[in-house]
């Protein structure tokens, strides 16, 4: 063979061989399906055109295409709620990370609650747990706080001692306090400090809010029996973005938040940052039946109207995370740092009876966190999730102004003297606004570790083991007495909880069951200085230990398409918290070192039906009944001059409260919700909750017949209703724009404020209305919203009859930059 013919022949053979080799090479293509805003799309079909290779995205939007041949390929994405999309991908390596942004057909949310498909929200709500999922997409565009959004959810009452920045407690159908867990990404939010609370975390930073009533899933297993609120922060790293919002409104209230996310698609390096700033004067009108004015000589005038003062609030916080997402060795590995700072003036005690001047608190917190989770760890079906947080928190409280004041802002006047002069009451040595003068400094170190190991035995059968450890070290120091600067009261609370659960899906996935058990061990220790002799401080030490075993089960049965029957039962315990045991002076809460654990036996039975579709109409229905029996219930009672509330005292001047045990309580009730959607433009929602919460303690502390036996437990709103309407109009003023208008109403029936029965100590009927509108510009980057809250200026009360803000007007601007790495 001639050389001239050999070379072309050889080249042709080599090229042919390379072609055959290349065509035989296969690749793995993974990624996420998401909207431009970063929101994940689950249950989307992803396929390679011209082949039978396809996949369905999971609840986090992830998909995986295996054995994709090398070459130029067309990837197709389809789903009910998105516009079909085809994208080009050059497959030229063994692994591709390829995320795809799609466009939604239409916005069908009412406050972010989607009812059109079997999303993660619906999967959770039909899993057997008594749970509601609140998505925040729409709310993030409006001037709503996270607490306002929660307060509109069925069966949820957010209890506040006033306006922005005041003390908050959550009530889930009569269960409150330590029985309710408040989580931020599965870690107790209290770990991060008072500044980083749900009132300050804007909805724009939140993916969704999960509200559980009763039995909790294993990843939230803890020392709780009444349920939990879990705030899930935005994590989707498939679309880089920056979002900023500014708002200003009545009572000199200003808020701002900024969040940014960046992920390197090549190596998975991910960074997330978010921050907020809130400031307000809370200078709204003081009024209503619990507002009073003390005349010279001590005569009291009720229904006094004046401007609230000494109630300024400022808070700032930031959350920074860096690590890797969607890499071979971790689905998520992030190290984080949270920092927050708050200044809070305290306008009064538990009730509004006596105004304070000069009493204020300052809070600082620094928290370090680690999050690691990995599916299919070592073997198929094994998943590990670890969350750990260590925080350092400090609380400074100052109360040194001794003169008493009236709600007009002036000092309290005495009766006329012999010359007819009205003189101030005068300074009282060693006194402050609430009892003795004080300057205290409380330091806390909190370690919170939670780990969850789950294994899918076979399809539909899963076991999980969860371990949670929490340690709080608290040091109380009196800064007002220099001679006792070495007198530090040390308090320590530790809890260890081991829980296990078994989940099963049978009958073709129609029957879902979950059986769980948990063992809790807790220890409280206090070391308190009592005197000092020859420079040696003598201490009084007190240690208590407790352990208990709890168990529960959930069931969900899909009777017919879209109809689910859901039930749960639980017998479990909850130990008192550090604040309930050792007190919180900045929140007007006294210590009670004698308080013990609470036991609860709870049952839930409900149905969820939806979505029912007929033409352009869609309806979703939900109903749930519950029965709860509490033993040694931990409840909040008012205290007057050191005496827990009872029959032999005056409740006109309640300043502090204390947690105590009620030997037996019982609660029965129901809740329901209906959502109606027309043509994906009109959205209507209505929900209600009604229950009784009765004291079943037949004898009082002195062994006498209890006057309050079988009476409704006070300070608990037991009948509430919420309603909202949203309507979207497209192409208003500009093409591709959208105008959303909203209406919301809230109703609370009268309820007893404290134990004694009288008209004066009954919180009256409350009925308020809100209006709002948001306008999204054609680019989708800018949204302007206006909210008119309490438009009829109704008297709205909260915890122990404290008046809430009246009519207010608020303006908010939102701006988002998506996929900024492309510019």
């Amino acid at each position: 063979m001639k050389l001239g013919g050999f070379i072309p022949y050889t080249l042709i053979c080599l090229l042919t061989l390379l072609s055959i080799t290349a065509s035989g090479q296969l690749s793995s293509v993974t990624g996420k399906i998401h909207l431009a805003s970063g929101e994940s799309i689950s249950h989307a079909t992803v396929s390679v055109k011209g082949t039978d290779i396809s996949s369905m995205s999971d609840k986090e939007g992830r998909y995986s295409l295996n054995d994709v041949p090398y070459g130029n390929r067309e990837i197709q994405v389809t789903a009910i709620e998105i516009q079909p999309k085809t994208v080009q991908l050059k497959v030229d390596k063994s692994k591709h990370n390829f995320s795809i942004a799609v466009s939604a057909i239409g916005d069908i949310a009412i406050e972010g609650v989607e009812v059109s498909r079997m999303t993660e929200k619906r999967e959770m709500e039909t899993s057997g747990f008594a749970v509601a999922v609140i998505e925040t997409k729409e709310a993030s565009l409006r001037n709503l706080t996270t607490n306002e959004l929660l307060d509109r959810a069925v069966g949820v009452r957010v209890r506040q001692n006033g306006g922005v920045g005041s003390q908050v407690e959550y009530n889930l159908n009569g269960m409150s306090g330590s029985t309710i867990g408040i989580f931020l990404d599965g870690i107790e939010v209290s770990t991060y400090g008072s500044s980083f609370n749900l009132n300050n975390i804007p909805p724009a930073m939140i993916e969704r809010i999960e509200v559980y009533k009763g039995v909790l899933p294993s990843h939230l297993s803890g020392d709780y029996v009444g349920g939990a609120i879990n705030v899930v922060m935005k994590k989707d790293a498939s679309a880089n973005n920056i979002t900023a919002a500014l708002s200003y409104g009545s009572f000199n209230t200003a808020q701002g938040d900024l969040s940014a996310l960046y992920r390197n698609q090549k190596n998975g390096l991910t960074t997330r940052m978010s921050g907020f700033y809130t400031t307000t004067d809370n200078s709204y009108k003081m009024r209503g039946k619990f507002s009073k004015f003390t005349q010279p000589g001590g005569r009291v005038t009720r229904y006094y109207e004046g401007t609230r003062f000494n109630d300024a609030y400022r808070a700032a916080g930031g959350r920074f995370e860096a690590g890797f997402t969607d890499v071979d060795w971790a689905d998520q590995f992030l190290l984080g740092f949270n920092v927050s700072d708050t200044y809070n003036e305290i306008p009064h005690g538990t009730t509004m009876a006596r105004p304070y001047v000069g009493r204020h608190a300052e809070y600082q917190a620094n928290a370090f966190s680690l999050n690691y989770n990995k599916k299919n760890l070592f073997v198929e079906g094994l998943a590990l999730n670890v969350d750990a947080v260590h925080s350092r928190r400090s609380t400074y409280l100052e109360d040194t102004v001794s003169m008493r004041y009236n709600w007009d802002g002036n000092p309290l006047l005495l009766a006329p003297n012999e010359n007819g002069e009205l003189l101030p009451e005068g300074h009282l040595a060693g006194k402050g606004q609430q009892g003795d003068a004080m300057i205290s400094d409380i330091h806390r170190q909190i370690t919170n570790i939670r780990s969850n190991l789950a294994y899918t035995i076979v399809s539909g059968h899963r076991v999980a083991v969860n371990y949670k450890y929490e340690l709080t070290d608290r040091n109380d120091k009196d800064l007002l007495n220099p001679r006792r600067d070495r007198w530090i009261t040390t308090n320590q609370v530790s809890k260890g909880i081991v829980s296990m659960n078994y989940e099963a899906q049978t009958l073709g996935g129609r029957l879902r069951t979950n059986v769980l058990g948990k063992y809790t061990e807790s220890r409280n220790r206090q070391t308190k200085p009592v005197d000092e002799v020859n420079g040696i401080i003598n201490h009084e030490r007190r240690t208590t230990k407790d352990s208990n075993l709890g168990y529960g089960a959930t069931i969900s049965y899909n009777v017919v398409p879209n109809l689910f029957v859901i039930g749960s039962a639980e017998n479990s315990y909850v130990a008192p918290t550090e604040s309930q045991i050792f007190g919180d002076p900045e929140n007007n809460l006294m210590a009670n070192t004698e308080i013990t654990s609470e036991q609860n036996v709870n049952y839930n039975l409900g149905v969820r039906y939806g979505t029912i579709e007929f033409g352009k109409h869609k309806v979703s229905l939900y109903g749930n009944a519950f029965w709860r029996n509490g033993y040694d219930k931990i409840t909040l009672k008012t205290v007057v001059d050191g005496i827990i509330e009872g029959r032999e005292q005056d409740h006109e001047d309640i300043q502090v409260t204390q947690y105590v045990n009620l030997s037996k309580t019982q609660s029965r009730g129901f809740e329901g919700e209906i959502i109606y959607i027309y043509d994906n433009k009109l959205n209507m929602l209505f929900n209600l909750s009604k229950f009784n919460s009765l004291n079943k303690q037949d004898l009082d502390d002195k062994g006498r017949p209890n006057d309050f036996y079988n009476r409704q437990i006070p300070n608990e709103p037991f009948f509430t209703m919420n309603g909202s309407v949203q309507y979207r109009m497209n192409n208003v003023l500009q093409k591709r724009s959208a105008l959303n208008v909203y209406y919301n109403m809230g109703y609370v029936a009268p309820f007893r404020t404290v134990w004694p029965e009288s008209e004066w100590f009954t919180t009256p009927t409350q009925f308020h209305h809100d209006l709002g509108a948001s306008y999204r510009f054609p680019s989708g980057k800018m949204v302007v919203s206006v909210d008119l809250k309490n438009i009829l200026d109704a008297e709205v009360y909260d915890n122990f009859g404290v008046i809430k803000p009246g009519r207010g007007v608020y303006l908010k601007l939102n701006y988002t930059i998506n996929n900024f790495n492309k510019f």
Side-chain angles (χ1 to χ4, degrees):
M1 181 181 293
K2 295 183 179 179
L3 185 60
F6 174 77
I7 293 177
Y9 175 79
T10 304
L11 288 175
I12 291 172
C13 289
L14 287 173
L15 290 174
T16 303
L17 180 62
L18 288 173
S19 176
I20 294 172
T21 303
S23 63
Q25 286 184 292
L26 302 175
S27 174
S28 173
V29 180
T30 60
K32 288 186 178 180
I33 309 300
H34 61 87
L35 298 177
S37 62
E39 181 183 352
S40 300
I41 298 296
S42 63
H43 297 83
T45 300
V46 186
S47 58
V48 181
K49 189 175 181 180
T51 73
D52 58 358
I53 301 170
S54 65
S55 171
M56 180 171 286
S57 61
D58 63 16
K59 55 188 178 183
E60 295 177 347
R62 294 191 180 95
Y63 74 93
S64 178
L65 298 171
N66 298 318
D67 300 331
V68 180
Y70 274 39
N72 294 319
R73 302 297 174 190
E74 291 185 330
I75 310 297
Q76 296 178 319
V77 183
T78 58
I80 296 174
E81 74 285 359
I82 66 171
Q83 297 176 3
K85 186 169 185 177
T86 301
V87 292
Q88 302 289 328
L89 174 63
K90 184 179 181 180
V91 180
D92 56 4
K93 54 185 179 181
S94 60
K95 291 184 178 180
H96 282 273
N97 192 311
F98 188 58
S99 295
I100 305 172
V102 295
S103 300
I105 291 177
D107 184 1
I108 56 173
I110 175 167
E111 300 293 1
V113 181
E114 190 175 274
V115 296
S116 68
R117 59 188 172 95
M118 190 64 157
T119 60
E120 181 177 7
K121 165 185 166 63
R122 188 176 174 194
E123 287 181 359
M124 292 178 63
E125 292 180 338
T126 57
S127 63
F129 296 96
V131 58
V133 178
I134 306 170
E135 295 176 339
T136 59
K137 176 183 176 183
E138 194 66 39
S140 66
L141 305 178
R142 302 181 55 195
N143 213 308
L144 296 175
T145 65
T146 302
N147 277 340
E148 286 176 313
L149 192 59
L150 273 169
D151 206 39
R152 299 176 181 182
V154 57
V156 180
R157 266 301 105 176
V158 179
R159 314 302 309 283
Q160 261 181 276
N161 274 23
V164 176
S166 59
Q167 182 187 6
V168 176
E169 185 174 272
Y170 300 88
N171 188 301
L172 302 183
N173 288 327
M175 302 295 285
S176 59
S178 58
T179 63
I180 305 299
I182 310 297
F183 296 94
L184 183 65
D185 284 334
I187 290 289
E188 283 78 358
V189 72
S190 58
T191 307
Y192 298 99
S194 59
S195 304
F196 221 89
N197 56 44
L198 302 195
N199 206 43
N200 284 331
I201 303 173
M205 294 163 57
I206 298 172
E207 180 70 27
R208 66 181 184 275
I209 304 172
E210 302 164 357
V211 181
Y212 293 88
K213 299 160 190 173
V215 180
L216 298 180
S218 62
H219 71 280
L220 295 179
S221 180
D223 204 19
Y224 310 104
V225 294
I229 297 170
N230 184 33
V231 174
V232 180
M233 304 292 281
K234 287 186 176 178
K235 297 181 178 64
D236 191 350
S238 57
N240 300 326
N241 62 78
I242 299 175
T243 301
L246 290 172
S247 68
Y248 183 78
S250 299
F251 320 120
N252 198 27
T253 302
Q255 294 177 298
D257 60 80
L258 175 69
S259 61
L261 183 149
Y262 174 78
R263 182 179 187 273
N264 187 308
Q265 300 293 337
K266 293 182 179 180
N267 59 23
L269 178 65
T270 302
T271 57
R272 291 200 294 258
M273 181 277 292
S274 57
F276 65 86
Y277 178 74
T278 301
T279 180
T280 181
D281 293 339
N282 278 321
S283 53
Y284 58 89
K285 187 189 299 182
M286 288 292 303
R287 55 180 174 161
K289 64 184 297 183
F290 298 101
S291 178
K292 67 179 186 180
F293 183 84
T294 303
Q295 301 286 352
R299 187 172 62 88
V300 174
T301 301
R302 306 193 186 280
Y303 290 92
Y304 175 78
E305 291 196 6
T307 300
R308 194 172 171 94
F309 60 92
N310 192 54
D311 198 11
Y313 176 80
R314 295 189 298 273
R319 181 179 175 95
F320 309 90
E321 293 176 291
F324 294 87
T325 58
D326 297 324
V327 292
D328 292 339
W329 51 275
D331 296 331
Q332 183 166 280
F333 174 78
L334 292 170
L335 297 176
F337 175 62
N338 283 50
V339 59
S340 59
D341 188 277
T342 300
Y343 172 82
N344 188 22
E345 294 178 344
I346 304 171
H348 52 71
T350 298
T351 67
M352 303 186 301
R354 183 190 301 177
Y356 293 160
V357 171
R359 184 175 170 92
H360 69 276
E362 299 175 26
Y363 312 90
Q364 290 83 36
N366 296 279
F368 301 88
S369 63
L370 177 148
N371 171 253
Y372 175 83
N373 63 70
K374 180 71 173 76
K375 296 178 180 177
N376 300 321
L377 178 69
F378 306 132
V379 296
E380 185 77 18
L382 183 65
L384 174 66
N385 185 76
V386 178
D387 287 289
V389 177
H390 178 76
S391 71
R392 295 174 178 266
R393 297 170 45 193
S394 64
T395 301
Y396 172 87
L397 175 65
E398 181 177 319
D399 185 1
T400 57
V401 178
S402 61
M403 184 174 291
R404 292 183 60 187
Y405 287 79
N406 247 323
W407 273 116
D408 62 356
N410 295 315
L412 197 66
L413 299 178
L414 298 174
N417 62 14
E418 57 184 11
N419 297 322
E421 299 172 320
L422 294 175
L423 302 177
E425 184 182 54
H427 295 278
L428 302 175
K431 294 295 182 181
Q433 296 293 282
Q434 188 184 103
D436 294 336
M438 68 182 304
I439 300 179
S440 68
D441 199 8
I442 301 176
H443 286 271
R444 293 176 174 91
Q445 290 195 59
I446 303 174
T447 301
N448 199 326
I449 302 172
R450 181 185 295 273
S451 58
N452 182 271
L453 185 66
Y455 180 64
T456 302
I457 306 169
V458 295
S459 179
H461 296 268
R462 182 173 178 265
V463 293
V465 179
N466 187 83
Y467 177 70
K468 185 222 171 173
Y469 176 75
E470 183 176 358
L471 173 67
T472 300
D473 281 311
R474 166 176 163 172
N475 294 333
D476 292 46
K477 192 173 183 179
D478 180 4
L479 302 181
L480 191 61
N481 191 339
R483 292 176 297 176
R484 294 187 176 183
D485 59 353
R486 298 189 304 120
W487 286 37
I488 300 176
T489 300
T490 301
N491 305 298
Q492 187 183 81
V493 176
S494 63
K495 295 179 183 179
I497 302 171
V498 178
S499 61
M500 298 182 65
N501 77 304
Y502 166 67
E503 304 171 16
Q505 294 188 32
T506 53
L507 301 181
R510 295 173 61 189
L511 178 64
R512 300 183 182 186
T513 54
N514 190 337
V515 180
L516 57 93
K518 69 174 182 177
Y519 175 76
T520 303
E521 213 172 65
S522 61
R523 186 179 72 169
N524 309 321
R525 184 171 62 188
Q526 183 180 69
T527 303
K528 185 176 182 180
V530 292
D531 59 35
E532 185 172 353
V533 180
N534 298 326
I536 300 176
I537 301 175
N538 296 313
H539 294 85
E540 179 182 85
R541 292 177 173 86
R542 175 187 175 90
T543 301
T544 60
K545 297 180 180 179
D546 191 16
S547 62
N548 53 68
L549 182 66
Y551 50 89
T554 70
I555 184 170
S556 171
Y557 182 63
N558 187 190
V559 183
V560 295
N562 294 323
L563 175 61
F564 294 83
V565 177
I566 304 166
S568 64
E570 178 182 33
N571 182 354
S572 193
Y573 296 78
V574 57
T577 65
E578 169 249 321
S579 296
Q580 292 171 342
I581 300 170
F582 302 120
D584 259 341
E586 71 274 16
N587 291 320
N588 313 307
L589 180 62
M590 292 179 60
N592 182 4
T593 56
E594 303 295 329
I595 197 168
T596 61
S597 294
E598 168 184 348
Q599 179 189 7
N600 269 271
V601 181
N602 301 328
Y603 305 95
N604 289 276
L605 181 63
V607 294
R608 189 175 293 277
Y609 191 20
T611 302
I612 310 167
E613 297 189 32
F614 43 99
K616 296 183 178 181
H617 307 271
K618 300 175 183 178
V619 178
S620 177
L621 304 172
Y622 162 76
N624 182 61
F626 51 89
W627 179 20
R628 293 170 173 167
N629 297 276
Y631 303 91
D632 292 323
K633 178 182 172 69
I634 298 174
T635 189
L636 195 62
K637 281 195 173 185
T638 57
V639 179
V640 179
D641 296 330
I643 304 173
I644 298 176
E645 62 175 305
R647 296 174 297 180
E648 302 172 354
Q649 58 182 301
D650 178 14
H651 286 74
E652 292 297 308
D653 198 7
I654 300 170
Q655 309 237 5
V656 295
T657 55
Q658 185 181 55
Y659 280 96
V660 298
N661 291 108
L662 288 180
S663 64
K664 188 177 180 180
T665 61
Q666 186 181 88
S667 178
R668 297 175 182 175
F670 64 91
E671 61 184 14
E673 183 173 69
I674 180 171
I675 299 174
Y676 167 75
I677 297 174
Y678 174 73
D679 197 24
N680 291 338
K681 294 181 179 179
L682 174 66
N683 307 268
M684 302 177 68
L685 176 148
F686 176 79
N687 63 48
L688 64 86
S689 172
K690 192 176 191 306
F691 62 92
N692 59 26
S693 187
L694 305 179
N695 177 20
K696 292 294 184 176
Q697 182 175 323
D698 54 355
L699 299 177
D700 64 18
D701 297 336
K702 297 180 180 179
R704 301 172 302 187
N706 190 349
D707 289 346
F708 306 115
Y709 173 74
N710 221 29
R711 301 285 183 87
Q712 182 80 26
I713 295 176
N715 198 41
E716 288 187 357
F718 58 87
F719 182 27
T720 61
M721 295 188 294
N722 293 284
S724 61
V725 179
Q726 172 187 324
Y727 186 72
R728 188 185 76 249
M729 294 171 280
N730 296 321
N731 303 316
V732 177
L733 300 179
Q734 304 175 84
K735 290 184 177 180
R736 300 184 64 188
S737 65
L739 174 66
N740 284 276
V741 292
Y742 316 89
Y743 164 75
N744 178 76
M745 76 85 178
Y747 170 83
V748 181
F751 59 94
R752 189 182 305 130
T753 313
V754 292
W755 281 106
E757 290 190 68
S758 71
E759 187 279 331
W760 180 250
F761 293 112
T762 298
T763 301
T765 301
Q766 303 169 66
F767 196 16
H768 72 273
H769 308 264
D770 307 318
L771 289 177
S774 67
Y775 184 79
R776 186 178 64 205
F777 286 81
S779 66
K781 297 179 180 179
M782 173 74 80
V783 178
V784 180
S785 66
V786 177
D787 282 270
L788 308 176
K789 298 182 182 180
N790 195 0
I791 55 176
L792 299 182
D793 203 25
E795 292 181 9
V796 182
Y797 301 90
D798 216 320
N799 216 12
F800 291 107
V802 176
I803 195 76
K804 294 178 70 175
R807 183 187 297 116
V809 182
Y810 303 87
L811 174 69
K812 185 173 185 178
L813 302 176
N814 292 267
Y815 190 79
T816 301
I817 301 175
N818 288 313
N819 297 321
F820 56 83
N821 58 315
K822 293 183 179 180
F823 296 113

